Amino acid sequence: MSKMRLAIVGAGPAGIYAADLLLKAERDFEVEIDLFEQLPAPYGLVRYGVSPDHPRIKGIINALRDVLDSGEIRFFGNVRYGQDLTLDDLKQHYNAVIFSTGAIRDAMLGVPGIDAEGSYGAADFVSWFDGHPDVPRTWPLEAASVGVIGNGNVALDVSRMLIKHADDLLVTEIPENVYDGLKANPIEELHLFGRRGPKYVKFTPLELRELGEVRDVDMVIDERDFAHADPYADEVLAKNKQVTVMTRIMDKWRDEQRAREAGETEPSSRRLHLHFWSKPVEVVTEEGRVTGLKIERTAPDGEGGIVDTGEFEVIPMQSLYRAVGYFGSPLDEIPFDENRGVIPNDRGRVLDLEGAQIPGVYATGWIKRGPIGLIGHTKSDAMETLERLMEDSTTWWQPEHGDANIIPELLSNRGVPYTNLDGWHRLDEHELSLGEAAGRTRIKVVSRDEMTRVSRGE
């Protein structure tokens, strides 16, 4: 075969990295790649899953932009797979497809009362404050006391966005509706819960340090959480440099708390309580609404796990967020593992529910392996998938139509208002101009219709 035509569904980091790696790979055939994205703009969770006060992480967009701007990949935004474009369409026009649709739903947490009014998934809240076009424009920020379950970076992002003063976010690209919502937030206290101890957290030191640097917020520590004898933590975790750094950060907060308690420093207007060794067992409700979280105190088992103590506490609150992981969504005509939230696959080769390979269909990123690992992990993940793809050249689809111009015609004939790379540049410049007019770097456009209209120059 002298030329391969590849479709990639999903224009986040996983999809863009896969395209870039294939273009750079040693091969004996030419490649044409079309990248399809359901949103009018590219970049996936880098644009819609990273808190706006993390410009360093969003710098990844610069690398992704270079890939798209190379001129070797076509981008089709605002195209919904399964609705605007089907699997049969892909088979007629491409030799193979890679699905890189990520994971944007919240994983469930099996505790009684978790579905009460005032209980939310972190992923939904992140989509709101990141200006995702397919979520409501408002968010119910009505609680003075809020709980967040989770000890990962998403839990910290959610906590920081809830406790931070809205005016301190004006240096970011948050949309106006998000600023207005956070400005009216009456929060005074936030409680962050983790089942294990302070040395077991999944945060990065950078994220943890940033949490303590939020203006006018006191970090509140429970000294009981540092009193457990834990040989495993002392012998194994203490050798981890990240754990050492984070322990130092929390020790500093403990010193600051002692100073406040001694009257040596003035208290802030908001407080963030860290609760370790705290396992959620029930969401306490009244008339169907969150009023508290019942936790059971845990203790180390000496081997890196926990044991229950039988000691229970109820922490009052009026709303609760669970940040316990993301979960994938099923795709039309593609097998789906409902338990793991992924497309069943063998190193990227998509399998049917009996375990047989489906020719021409591949997966990469979180929809392949689950929501595990940082953005950088998607490169090695994409390479594994591409190696399988290139090994399978004898089983690729043989498309009826090889003319690249047919795809734009097909979408136009179906009335799909698709966007392209030039359109993304127009939207990018438009958002920058909105920010400049307001003395900010960027203001993100939220409405799908407006994003599409600006992108298409209409």
Side-chain angles (χ1 to χ4, degrees):
M1 176 178 292
S2 59
K3 179 181 291 186
M4 179 206 192
R5 301 203 67 235
L6 175 67
I8 299 177
V9 178
I16 295 175
Y17 285 147
D20 185 41
L21 290 170
L22 180 58
L23 288 169
K24 294 176 178 176
E26 290 187 16
R27 46 188 164 76
D28 56 3
F29 53 86
E30 295 181 24
V31 175
E32 291 181 353
I33 301 175
D34 286 347
L35 195 59
F36 296 96
E37 168 58 49
Q38 67 167 341
L39 296 173
Y43 307 141
L45 280 181
V46 181
R47 181 174 165 91
Y48 291 113
V50 178
S51 60
D53 59 348
H54 270 178
R56 287 184 298 274
I57 295 177
K58 283 182 175 290
I60 294 171
I61 284 181
N62 294 331
L64 301 177
R65 181 197 301 271
D66 290 342
V67 176
L68 292 185
D69 286 351
S70 68
E72 298 182 273
I73 304 167
R74 292 196 304 180
F75 170 73
F76 294 92
N78 207 34
V79 177
R80 294 179 173 90
Y81 169 78
Q83 178 177 323
D84 302 322
L85 204 63
T86 67
L87 185 62
D88 187 58
D89 292 327
L90 298 178
K91 288 181 178 179
Q92 290 185 38
H93 296 88
Y94 299 92
N95 297 106
V97 59
I98 297 176
F99 288 99
S100 57
T101 50
I104 60 172
R105 293 188 293 164
D106 282 290
M108 286 305 299
L109 180 64
V111 301
I114 196 65
D115 293 325
E117 184 179 355
S119 176
Y120 311 104
D124 292 335
F125 182 56
V126 172
S127 291
W128 174 73
F129 68 60
D130 267 333
H132 195 292
D134 296 337
V135 302
R137 299 291 180 269
T138 59
W139 189 269
L141 294 167
E142 303 162 348
S145 182
V146 179
V148 177
I149 299 172
N151 264 183
N153 284 343
V154 174
L156 285 196
D157 281 353
V158 168
S159 298
R160 201 175 56 256
M161 291 297 291
L162 284 167
I163 202 71
K164 205 167 193 175
H165 291 278
D167 285 351
D168 294 338
L169 289 164
L170 285 174
V171 296
T172 76
E173 61 184 40
I174 62 166
E176 290 298 323
N177 66 296
V178 176
Y179 169 76
D180 292 341
L182 292 173
K183 182 71 173 175
N185 185 10
I187 191 170
E188 297 174 0
E189 293 187 313
L190 187 142
H191 299 268
L192 181 61
F193 299 92
R195 296 169 64 249
R196 298 200 290 176
K199 293 184 179 180
Y200 294 85
V201 295
K202 300 298 183 182
F203 314 142
T204 62
L206 174 63
E207 291 265 3
L208 189 65
R209 184 180 291 110
E210 286 178 341
L211 189 66
E213 294 174 349
V214 177
R215 182 182 65 84
D216 194 30
V217 174
D218 289 333
M219 304 302 294
V220 182
I221 304 290
D222 188 337
E223 285 297 328
R224 294 179 301 170
D225 294 339
F226 295 82
H228 288 297
D230 187 355
Y232 179 87
D234 294 339
E235 295 173 11
V236 179
L237 298 180
K239 299 176 183 178
N240 185 308
K241 290 184 178 180
Q242 287 199 333
V243 172
T244 301
V245 172
M246 289 190 285
T247 299
R248 192 179 301 131
I249 292 169
M250 285 187 270
D251 285 344
K252 174 176 175 288
W253 295 344
R254 294 165 70 189
D255 290 339
E256 292 172 349
Q257 179 171 303
R258 294 185 190 103
R260 287 195 305 274
E261 292 172 347
E264 298 172 8
T265 58
E266 291 294 319
S268 300
S269 69
R270 294 178 175 181
R271 294 164 297 284
L272 197 157
H273 301 255
L274 295 175
H275 299 268
F276 299 108
W277 307 112
S278 299
K279 183 178 76 173
V281 294
E282 181 184 355
V283 180
V284 182
T285 63
E286 184 175 319
E287 297 182 351
R289 182 168 186 86
V290 173
T291 59
L293 180 67
K294 183 178 182 179
I295 60 100
E296 181 176 8
R297 295 285 298 176
T298 61
D301 66 0
E303 299 178 354
I306 60 173
V307 294
D308 298 335
T309 66
E311 178 186 349
F312 297 91
E313 300 175 10
V314 175
I315 292 85
M317 62 190 65
Q318 299 85 50
S319 71
L320 177 67
Y321 295 76
R322 66 182 187 278
V324 295
Y326 287 87
F327 203 77
S329 301
L331 295 163
D332 193 55
E333 297 187 82
I334 302 299
F336 188 70
D337 185 334
E338 294 285 353
N339 294 321
R340 297 179 55 223
V342 299
I343 295 174
N345 70 92
D346 175 16
R347 295 175 295 170
R349 293 183 176 110
V350 173
L351 309 175
D352 64 24
L353 297 181
E354 280 71 47
Q357 181 183 352
I358 300 177
V361 184
Y362 300 83
T364 192
W366 281 6
I367 198 62
K368 168 189 172 184
R369 71 179 187 273
I372 301 169
L374 302 175
I375 290 173
H377 290 92
T378 58
K379 284 189 176 181
S380 58
D381 187 57
M383 180 58 73
E384 179 184 63
T385 295
L386 291 173
E387 288 171 352
R388 307 291 87 73
L389 171 72
M390 290 191 285
E391 289 171 0
D392 296 344
S393 59
T394 59
T395 65
W396 291 345
W397 300 328
Q398 299 304 312
E400 298 178 18
H401 308 288
D403 185 353
N405 294 322
I406 292 180
I407 295 299
E409 295 175 6
L410 176 69
L411 294 173
S412 295
N413 290 339
R414 291 178 179 176
V416 180
Y418 69 88
T419 62
N420 57 24
L421 190 56
D422 288 340
W424 160 240
H425 290 157
R426 279 192 289 269
L427 177 60
D428 185 35
E429 292 169 1
H430 178 69
E431 291 182 342
L432 291 171
S433 68
L434 291 176
E436 184 179 6
R440 296 167 56 189
T441 301
R442 174 194 299 266
I443 297 179
K444 189 182 291 182
V445 174
V446 178
S447 161
R448 180 185 283 268
D449 288 343
E450 184 179 354
M451 291 175 69
T452 304
R453 187 170 58 253
V454 172
S455 296
R456 291 171 61 87
E458 297 173 350

